[in-house]
Amino acid sequence: MKKILFTLLMLSGATLFAQSIKVRGFIKDSIGEPLEFANVIATIQADGAIESYGITNSEGRYQLDLPKNNTYVLKASFLGYETKEQVVTISEDAENIQQDFTLNSLADELEGVELIYEMPVTVKGDTIIYNADSFTTGDERKLGDVMKKLPGVEVNDDGEIEVEGKAVSKVMVEGKDFFDGDSKLATKNIPADAVDKVEVLRNYNEVDQMRGLGNDQDNIAINIKLKEGKKNFWFGEVTAGAGIADEDGKYLVHPKLFYYNPKYSINLITDFNNIGEVPFTFRDYFNFTGGFRNFNRGGGTNFNISDTDLGFAVAQNNRANDIDTKFLAGNFSWAATSKLDLSGFAILSDNKTNIITNSIRQFIVSGTTENTSAENDQRSQLGMLKLSSTYKPNSNFQLDYDILGKMSKQTEDDTTISIVENNTNNISETLENQPFSINQNANIYYTANDNNIFAAQVQHLYQDEDPFYRAVQDSIPFRGIFTTFDPANPQNEVFDPLTQANRYNINQDKNVKTNKLDAKVDYYYVINNKSNINVTMGSTLSDQRFKSGIFQILDNGSENNFTDDEFNNDVLFYFTDAFLGLHYKAKAGKFIFTPGLTLHNYNVKNEQLGTTLSQNDWMVLPDVNIILELKKSENLRFNYAISSEYTDVNNYAEAYVFNNYNALFRGNRLLENALSHTYNLTYFSFNMFNYTNISGSLNYSRRLNGFKNNTDIAQISQVSSLFNMDSNFPDETFSAFGRFSKRVKKLQFNLNANATLSKSNTIVNDEIRESKSLTQSYLGSVRSNFREWPNLELGYRLSVNDYDNGGLQQTFFTHRPYANLDMRFLKDFTLTADWDYYNYNNDAKTVENKYSFVNANLYYQKGESPWEFQVQATNILDTGFINNDSFNEQFNTTSQYFVLPRIVMFIVKYEL
């Protein structure tokens, strides 16, 4: 199959190259100056169909590939200039053609705007506008399918959009936020046939007054323009299906409804299925910010409130033994008046997941190997509600207010069999958590005049978490802590506070409450159009209450409370950061310099065990950003910063808490801050002249006085406490990333490479140990984009993970060739298929597994009928499991995850 697909692709490519010629030339203005980003479009004279297009480079040069034996109309245009046409006839024996254009300036630019907007690609300043129909073949179903075909745009495996190698921070439809800009929900739900234009907004800032004042180079937004038939009308689709897997019934119900007009918009998305399609995962819930950004980004402080997830099991790439999903989401926006905009969204999700895992865990110091077989039944019930308002009475003033509420209930019941040195331990675990949080944010932007601009932000977080943990096992847990144990005289073991039992039922209650207030004011003095000064003043105030306790349920059902202080936490923790920052931004030639300094006063206080400890630190933290604009679409960027890292109450609480059945942890009230030096060098080039996109980055970080675990390991039992590692033993990370893509006629070539080398130090059994890891991933692919012929994508992924813990060295390889097919036949039928092959092994050949996943879809839609019928088959080869490996400073783990079996579905979709 691989050879056939490869041969077909090469033959079609060879035929394509052999039957066309190149049309080259220059586009200049009336005085001979080259026009960069001018457009040239070639249409077939007979029917007006677009055959090819080009955009000029900095020299005003363009290039087109045109098939022979046809007559074309070449149109050259540029914003604010007249459009000129030239008819070109290309015969069978024609050679490459030189065709230049001279464009005269227009007094009225409106006509130029209209003509340019019809181009496949238009570049207007920091905005790239793609005409979707110029890149699609008609077989696309969702926005994600469209985005993958746009030059310079990618959709990663999680469904998130990336442009120039950076994640898109916001997705809008007709200028209105789609679920606060979440790109994953957009790519998987917006119908492809509704998309007219895709606007990529680089250097994006949603506040007009703030544009160009700071460094927005990493901010990228996307705005989807709808086709005329989708505006002022309800549109969407209703999808339903039923099928079978083994002897179990499967179902899918997936209605979606959208409405957009200039006044308001409504998006409704639902998804109910048990076929493994998870629209909103537990991890998405914690990562979903609802538009709330990191406070005082770039100010030098790294202080984050941690979420207590209790180590819930997570499906690998949404693959598990069984998954049942229910999802409801609604989003609205309303222009209440010409000055006031209101918007919001609500998300409800209920996922039930069954995960079966076999793992081999190798402990470095003890040399012990633990084999486990585990089954996890997990349920995640998630809810989010956000309301937003923007009040803008004039161009000089804007007030934003947002409130986001998040609530969830997570439960997990685990059954694990652990085998260590022929000793079997049957373990049952229960995990429960019902976190709740409210996040409020207010922003004010005021422009006093052209030279004086003010911005203020206030953000408040209230969070309440109450995780519960239970572990019931045969073996005596944590000898020497829960009991008094002398290995030389094991028969004299004293059970205190633990009570001897047939099975040991250990429980832990925990509650963490957080109030965090952030406030700052920015003042910008605009010196001229090339430089400005920014003064920032603000503060972060946080207080947390942490309570936990451990108790045992005895065989007769009574409770044994561990009353000693070392098993009960009651901690008050306060963190304050008052800061004053100064930054200067200046443009000199092709360079933009933004150096800065921030003065911080940190106060940290914790109250526990009847005493209070305080710390007070003053620090000056520098940062610098340098941009070299080589061309309009080519730049080199350098960033350097020192950041001060503080941790929250979870790591200051000194009494023991459970991480899992064989891991205890205690914090350290004497912790000090860590310091991190980060360096970043990024290169980007987007060349529309030859359809080449190149990006790459080099990153280095050095962390001093870092938070590290001091771990005692006896066989597989781990007891850890936190401390600051001496600065003579820093953590270091070096990473390199490169991406190259080039479009040649109807073929898209892609090469990606990513490598990360990390070195860290920790203490295990009173010995400083250095751990190293080198992870590498490589991708090469070629994809066709024909309108009439079948389309193929062939690719090869290679990942190499090299782990060296100072006592155990292992290297794991995953070779992953893949192929995707998209073919229309008999006019109304479409076949899509994808094949992924995995060859997973290690250097010692003690682990080896080969498996494949094949999925296929057959669609039938009669002409323009709203009805579509689909036969869907997933995991056609009925592959039983996948592999994964992981690494930390104590052990290496190789795991095997069981996945859903072969599923065959019959699905009906009706387009509204």
Side-chain angles (χ1 to χ4, degrees):
M1 179 179 178
K2 290 184 287 185
K3 292 182 179 179
I4 294 174
L5 292 174
F6 183 77
T7 301
L8 287 173
L9 188 62
M10 292 301 102
L11 286 175
S12 60
T15 303
L16 189 66
F17 282 96
Q19 296 179 346
S20 63
I21 68 164
K22 293 185 181 298
V23 177
R24 300 187 180 99
F26 292 88
I27 300 179
K28 299 181 179 181
D29 64 14
S30 57
I31 61 174
E33 291 295 322
L35 296 176
E36 185 177 4
F37 295 136
N39 303 289
V40 183
I41 187 170
T43 59
I44 300 174
Q45 189 180 48
D47 57 16
I50 297 176
E51 179 60 44
S52 184
Y53 72 94
I55 294 180
T56 58
N57 62 11
S58 58
E59 299 173 347
R61 188 174 174 221
Y62 75 91
Q63 177 177 293
L64 302 176
D65 293 298
L66 297 177
K68 297 178 179 180
N69 297 317
N70 218 329
T71 299
Y72 303 95
V73 178
L74 305 186
K75 296 181 181 180
S77 60
F78 188 68
L79 184 65
Y81 288 75
E82 67 176 347
T83 298
K84 286 196 173 180
E85 297 184 2
Q86 180 67 44
V87 177
V88 175
T89 299
I90 301 177
S91 61
E92 175 66 31
D93 55 354
E95 301 292 336
N96 293 340
I97 296 175
Q98 179 79 18
Q99 179 64 57
D100 299 330
F101 291 92
T102 299
L103 305 184
N104 297 317
S105 177
L106 288 171
D108 184 358
E109 296 185 1
L110 293 179
E111 181 182 0
V113 172
E114 181 180 357
L115 290 171
I116 286 178
Y117 207 60
E118 296 174 355
M119 287 291 300
V121 180
T122 303
V123 180
K124 298 166 63 177
D126 288 331
T127 301
I128 304 173
I129 303 171
Y130 297 94
N131 181 29
D133 288 344
S134 300
F135 300 93
T136 56
T137 60
D139 298 327
E140 298 77 16
R141 282 168 167 73
K142 297 293 181 286
L143 174 65
D145 301 324
V146 176
M147 302 303 295
K148 291 177 182 178
K149 297 184 177 181
L150 305 182
V153 181
E154 293 190 6
V155 180
N156 64 25
D157 291 340
D158 294 325
E160 298 169 336
I161 304 172
E162 296 180 353
V163 176
E164 305 177 4
K166 298 185 289 288
V168 169
S169 59
K170 182 183 287 289
V171 175
M172 298 173 285
V173 179
E174 292 292 328
K176 299 176 175 63
D177 288 359
F178 187 84
F179 288 92
D180 261 350
D182 182 70
S183 64
K184 177 180 176 181
L185 287 177
T187 57
K188 294 182 179 295
N189 289 284
I190 296 177
D193 61 3
V195 180
D196 182 29
K197 304 285 191 302
V198 176
E199 298 176 343
V200 176
L201 312 174
R202 298 178 294 177
N203 303 324
Y204 177 73
N205 194 314
E206 56 190 325
V207 181
D208 294 340
Q209 298 103 302
M210 306 304 294
R211 289 175 185 165
L213 295 179
N215 292 315
D216 298 322
Q217 286 75 23
D218 290 329
N219 296 341
I220 296 178
I222 284 180
N223 183 43
I224 306 299
K225 304 292 288 186
L226 299 175
K227 293 181 177 178
E228 286 302 319
K230 304 299 183 180
K231 300 176 185 178
N232 299 308
F233 293 97
W234 287 96
F235 68 95
E237 59 191 33
V238 178
T239 305
I244 191 169
D246 293 336
E247 297 179 357
D248 299 327
K250 297 294 180 181
Y251 69 92
L252 167 68
V253 180
H254 190 17
K256 293 179 291 188
L257 198 59
F258 308 95
Y259 182 85
Y260 284 88
N261 73 17
K263 187 76 173 177
Y264 64 90
S265 67
I266 298 174
N267 304 293
L268 299 173
I269 301 172
T270 64
D271 195 341
F272 305 87
N273 74 82
N274 63 351
I275 61 174
E277 296 181 359
V278 183
F280 198 71
T281 67
F282 176 61
R283 185 170 291 170
D284 292 333
Y285 169 80
F286 279 106
N287 292 337
F288 197 91
T289 65
F292 287 82
R293 298 175 180 83
N294 291 330
F295 176 78
N296 198 31
R297 185 183 65 175
T301 299
N302 185 356
F303 174 72
N304 295 311
I305 303 298
S306 59
D307 292 307
T308 305
D309 60 8
L310 281 173
F312 282 88
V314 178
Q316 298 297 306
N317 298 322
N318 294 336
R319 286 179 172 149
N321 188 59
D322 191 38
I323 302 176
D324 192 311
T325 294
K326 297 176 177 63
F327 177 76
L328 293 155
N331 170 222
F332 82 94
S333 65
W334 176 39
T337 69
S338 60
K339 302 176 181 179
L340 177 64
D341 290 332
L342 303 176
S343 62
F345 67 81
I347 295 176
L348 296 173
S349 176
D350 187 356
N351 294 339
K352 297 178 183 178
T353 309
N354 176 258
I355 301 174
I356 297 178
T357 310
N358 294 325
S359 297
I360 300 173
R361 181 173 294 169
Q362 295 179 284
F363 289 82
I364 297 124
V365 175
S366 64
T368 303
T369 298
E370 180 188 21
N371 292 273
T372 62
S373 296
E375 181 170 359
N376 316 100
D377 285 306
Q378 181 184 133
R379 184 174 186 182
S380 297
Q381 296 169 285
L382 316 171
M384 303 176 66
L385 174 65
K386 184 185 178 187
L387 298 174
S388 300
S389 63
T390 297
Y391 176 66
K392 191 172 183 179
N394 54 61
S395 60
N396 295 326
F397 181 84
Q398 180 173 324
L399 170 64
D400 298 336
Y401 174 74
D402 310 278
I403 181 169
L404 170 68
K406 298 169 70 175
M407 184 188 313
S408 69
K409 180 180 180 182
Q410 299 114 33
T411 59
E412 184 176 314
D413 293 305
D414 302 343
T415 301
T416 303
I417 298 175
S418 170
I419 300 175
V420 179
E421 297 179 355
N422 297 321
N423 295 317
T424 301
N425 187 16
N426 291 285
I427 306 157
S428 298
E429 295 176 277
T430 299
L431 301 86
E432 297 176 359
N433 194 13
Q434 297 187 52
F436 169 75
S437 68
I438 295 179
N439 203 332
Q440 299 180 79
N441 185 74
N443 294 287
I444 298 175
Y445 307 96
Y446 173 65
T447 301
N449 51 50
D450 291 342
N451 300 106
N452 298 278
I453 300 173
F454 298 85
Q457 179 183 15
V458 179
Q459 189 172 116
H460 179 260
L461 169 68
Y462 172 78
Q463 183 172 283
D464 188 353
E465 300 176 288
D466 62 345
F468 171 79
Y469 176 76
R470 172 184 293 137
V472 183
Q473 56 184 310
D474 297 331
S475 300
I476 300 172
F478 301 104
R479 283 179 155 150
I481 296 176
F482 290 169
T483 70
T484 302
F485 178 70
D486 181 3
N489 298 289
Q491 69 278 4
N492 296 328
E493 185 168 7
V494 177
F495 286 79
D496 183 28
L498 191 69
T499 297
Q500 197 165 6
N502 292 324
R503 276 174 64 79
Y504 293 92
N505 186 333
I506 309 299
N507 302 260
Q508 175 181 271
D509 284 318
K510 191 196 303 186
N511 181 249
V512 184
K513 291 184 178 179
T514 300
N515 276 284
K516 181 169 176 277
L517 177 67
D518 300 298
K520 70 167 183 171
V521 176
D522 280 290
Y523 166 67
Y524 293 89
Y525 177 69
V526 180
I527 301 172
N528 50 48
N529 61 359
K530 293 185 177 182
S531 62
N532 67 73
I533 296 174
N534 170 217
V535 179
T536 304
M537 181 173 62
S539 181
T540 292
L541 306 172
S542 175
D543 68 84
Q544 294 179 284
R545 181 72 179 263
F546 182 102
K547 300 183 73 172
S548 70
I550 297 174
F551 62 95
Q552 177 186 7
I553 297 179
L554 304 179
D555 295 339
N556 60 9
S558 61
E559 287 189 8
N560 169 30
N561 291 302
F562 294 9
T563 57
D564 292 347
D565 287 342
E566 62 181 338
F567 304 113
N568 294 274
N569 281 296
D570 190 354
V571 185
L572 288 173
F573 177 76
Y574 305 93
F575 172 81
T576 302
D577 172 23
F579 55 87
L580 177 65
L582 177 65
H583 288 80
Y584 174 68
K585 181 178 180 181
K587 184 174 182 180
K590 294 184 176 182
F591 286 91
I592 301 175
F593 300 92
T594 312
L597 291 171
T598 305
L599 173 67
H600 293 266
N601 176 236
Y602 298 105
N603 279 281
V604 181
K605 182 172 71 171
N606 69 90
E607 299 176 6
Q608 58 182 310
L609 303 174
T611 60
T612 300
L613 289 181
S614 300
Q615 302 174 33
N616 184 280
D617 299 304
W618 288 89
M619 295 184 193
V620 176
L621 302 176
D623 63 275
V624 63
N625 172 268
I626 302 173
I627 302 173
L628 173 59
E629 295 283 357
L630 300 169
K631 297 176 183 177
K632 289 184 179 180
S633 57
E634 183 182 17
N635 60 63
L636 188 66
R637 292 180 290 150
F638 172 76
N639 287 283
Y640 167 72
I642 299 179
S643 61
S644 180
E645 180 180 349
Y646 286 84
T647 184
D648 73 347
V649 69
N650 288 276
N651 291 322
Y652 280 84
E654 291 218 326
Y656 288 109
V657 293
F658 272 97
N659 282 343
N660 58 44
Y661 68 90
N662 69 339
L664 277 179
F665 173 81
R666 67 191 309 176
N668 180 357
R669 66 185 307 189
L670 300 176
L671 284 177
E672 299 178 350
N673 67 290
L675 279 178
S676 293
H677 297 254
T678 58
Y679 305 79
N680 169 263
L681 183 66
T682 301
Y683 171 79
F684 170 73
S685 173
F686 185 40
N687 192 331
M688 293 301 297
F689 168 71
N690 55 15
Y691 316 115
T692 301
N693 185 7
I694 302 174
S695 60
S697 65
L698 297 174
N699 303 277
Y700 173 73
S701 67
R702 181 181 176 88
R703 190 183 186 212
L704 306 175
N705 208 35
F707 308 124
K708 309 300 292 185
N709 282 321
N710 184 350
T711 306
D712 291 323
I713 298 179
Q715 284 195 327
I716 66 169
S717 294
Q718 309 155 64
V719 181
S720 301
S721 60
L722 209 61
F723 73 104
N724 291 104
M725 175 64 78
D726 188 287
S727 59
N728 292 319
F729 300 92
D731 291 345
E732 295 178 288
T733 301
F734 177 80
S735 63
F737 168 79
R739 174 179 289 150
F740 171 84
S741 65
K742 184 175 180 63
R743 186 176 179 182
V744 182
K745 301 182 185 296
K746 297 295 184 179
L747 300 179
Q748 178 76 31
F749 297 88
N750 296 287
L751 290 174
N752 290 352
N754 199 345
T756 301
L757 173 65
S758 63
K759 183 187 73 172
S760 62
N761 296 276
T762 190
I763 295 180
V764 180
N765 290 0
D766 298 322
E767 178 186 350
I768 296 178
R769 304 186 67 89
E770 182 182 81
S771 299
K772 295 180 181 179
S773 70
L774 175 60
T775 60
Q776 304 166 70
S777 62
Y778 306 95
L779 166 65
S781 68
V782 56
R783 181 179 71 238
S784 65
N785 192 30
F786 302 113
R787 286 188 176 272
E788 305 296 334
W789 297 356
N791 282 300
L792 296 172
E793 180 182 10
L794 299 177
Y796 195 95
R797 290 187 174 98
L798 170 64
S799 64
V800 182
N801 298 330
D802 189 356
Y803 307 131
D804 184 355
N805 304 77
L808 178 65
Q809 196 277 333
Q810 287 184 305
T811 304
F812 296 89
F813 303 89
T814 302
H815 298 267
R816 186 183 165 189
Y818 68 93
N820 299 314
L821 170 67
D822 194 334
M823 178 175 65
R824 177 173 290 186
F825 63 99
L826 298 180
K827 188 178 179 181
D828 298 321
F829 288 88
T830 302
L831 173 67
T832 66
D834 58 83
W835 167 74
D836 278 280
Y837 175 79
Y838 295 78
N839 183 351
Y840 177 84
N841 58 71
N842 64 356
D843 53 345
K845 302 301 180 182
T846 57
V847 177
E848 187 167 10
N849 190 21
K850 299 177 182 179
Y851 53 92
S852 295
F853 285 98
V854 176
N855 306 305
N857 294 276
L858 179 63
Y859 302 92
Y860 172 75
Q861 185 174 17
K862 181 68 174 178
E864 299 297 323
S865 170
W867 292 95
E868 180 185 78
F869 303 93
Q870 173 189 358
V871 177
Q872 173 182 288
T874 57
N875 193 8
I876 293 174
L877 301 180
D878 207 21
T879 299
F881 53 83
I882 61 177
N883 291 95
N884 187 33
D885 56 80
S886 61
F887 155 88
N888 66 28
E889 295 158 332
Q890 283 84 41
F891 51 79
N892 294 347
T893 304
T894 302
S895 299
Q896 180 185 78
Y897 296 87
F898 287 80
V899 298
L900 285 162
R902 179 191 302 115
I903 300 175
V904 179
M905 299 281 294
F906 178 71
I907 300 172
V908 179
K909 183 178 77 172
Y910 181 77
E911 293 185 2
L912 301 174

